[in-house]
Amino acid sequence: EPEVTQTPSHQVTQMGQEVILRCVPISNHLYFYWYRQILGQKVEFLVSFYNNEISEKSEIFDDQFSVERPDGSNFTLKIRSTKLEDSAMYFCASSDQGGNEQFFGPGTRLTVL
Amino acid sequence: QKEVEQDPGPLSVPEGAIVSLNCTYSNSAFQYFMWYRQYSRKGPELLMYTYSSGNKEDGRFTAQVDKSSKYISLFIRDSQPSDSATYLCALMNTGFQKLVFGTGTRLLVSP
C-alpha cells in the first residue's frame, strides 16, 4: 500500500541553525501539507501546497519557514533559524483531492537545543 | 470556546467492549469530518472520513455526524488490545485545506 515517507526520523540541531525536513508524498497525490505536534499538544496545521505554490498557511508559518517541491517526488520544509519552541514532531501529509482525505507520514522529531 | 473539543481520557475498557469516542465543535462551517488513530510517536492514520451529516460504517468502526448538535462520534465494536491508541477527530471547512484537530482521546483496551 502506498504511503508517505519522511526523513530523517529524528533531527537534533542547535538553536539558530537551519534544518530541512524531507517528505516523499504518495506518488499520484497533488496536494501536500505540513503539520506539527508539540509534545502533549494537538496536531496543528502549518501549510498546504498545490501546483508548486502555497495555497494556505497558518499564523505559525512565518518567514522562518518555507516549503519546496524540488523535484517530482520530494516535498521539503525548511526552518531557517530554529528556535527552542520549534521542537516538535513534524508530519507531512498528502491527498489526491482538495484535502478531503489526507494521509500522514510517520513524522520527523525535531529537537532544538 | 475552543474550535474542537475532545475528552483527553484515558478511556479504559475491557476487550470486547463497545467504545464511544466523541468530539464537539463550535464552527458550523465544518463540512468534512475525519477520525485518525495515532500510536505513540507515530503519524496519524486515517480511519474514517465523512462528509456532512449521517453515519458511515467500516468493519468494526462507525462514524456519526450530527451537525445540528455540532457533535461527532466514533464507535468501535468488539474492541481489541490493538485498538489501544489515541484517537483524533479532525474537521475541515469546504474550500479550505487545513484540518483542525481535537486534542485526541487516549484509549486503553485491556485483555
Side-chain angles (χ1 to χ4, degrees):
Chain A
E1 187 171 328
E3 58 183 17
V4 177
T5 59
Q6 291 185 243
T7 55
S9 58
H10 188 195
Q11 174 90 48
V12 181
T13 189
Q14 295 290 325
M15 190 169 56
Q17 295 296 303
E18 174 183 287
V19 295
I20 297 176
L21 310 182
R22 291 183 167 78
C23 167
V24 178
I26 295 172
S27 64
N28 63 337
H29 284 187
L30 302 176
Y31 297 81
F32 315 114
Y33 315 85
W34 285 101
Y35 292 79
R36 78 172 185 190
Q37 186 176 31
I38 295 170
L39 188 63
Q41 297 186 25
K42 62 172 67 176
V43 177
E44 300 175 289
F45 171 81
L46 293 177
V47 66
S48 60
F49 190 86
Y50 170 72
N51 199 26
N52 278 323
E53 61 183 27
I54 290 173
S55 47
E56 193 175 350
K57 62 181 181 178
S58 72
E59 58 275 6
I60 302 169
F61 193 88
D62 61 21
D63 293 344
Q64 292 300 311
F65 292 87
S66 62
V67 289
E68 191 179 26
R69 186 145 163 88
D71 53 41
S73 60
N74 290 283
F75 180 51
T76 62
L77 174 70
K78 183 193 293 187
I79 309 175
R80 287 191 184 81
S81 178
T82 50
K83 306 182 185 72
L84 295 176
E85 55 265 36
D86 293 328
S87 294
M89 283 289 284
Y90 287 81
F91 295 109
C92 173
S94 68
S95 67
D96 62 356
Q97 298 176 49
N100 297 351
E101 291 180 279
Q102 298 182 21
F103 294 90
F104 283 69
T108 292
R109 182 153 60 105
L110 176 65
T111 301
V112 182
L113 302 176
Chain B
Q1 186 180 10
K2 289 183 182 176
E3 212 168 5
V4 181
E5 299 208 49
Q6 190 174 6
D7 187 332
L11 175 62
S12 295
V13 301
E15 183 175 355
I18 296 174
V19 175
S20 172
L21 303 163
N22 311 293
C23 283
T24 59
Y25 62 94
S26 56
N27 186 351
S28 58
F30 286 129
Q31 293 283 346
Y32 298 91
F33 306 92
M34 272 68 78
W35 285 96
Y36 285 84
R37 178 173 62 196
Q38 187 177 27
Y39 293 110
S40 181
R41 295 188 176 269
K42 301 293 185 184
E45 173 194 357
L46 181 63
L47 285 177
M48 301 286 287
Y49 153 71
T50 310
Y51 171 70
S52 195
S53 284
N55 293 359
K56 186 172 184 178
E57 189 173 319
D58 185 0
R60 295 185 296 113
F61 298 91
T62 300
Q64 281 186 356
V65 176
D66 181 350
K67 292 188 69 182
S68 62
S69 301
K70 298 191 184 71
Y71 190 87
I72 65 173
S73 302
L74 177 70
F75 298 96
I76 307 174
R77 287 182 298 281
D78 188 25
S79 55
Q80 303 295 309
S82 57
D83 294 328
S84 297
T86 297
Y87 289 79
L88 311 171
C89 62
L91 290 70
M92 187 168 65
N93 292 4
T94 302
F96 294 87
Q97 293 166 6
K98 74 170 187 179
L99 291 174
V100 179
F101 281 86
T103 52
T105 298
R106 188 168 164 228
L107 172 67
L108 302 172
V109 182
S110 54

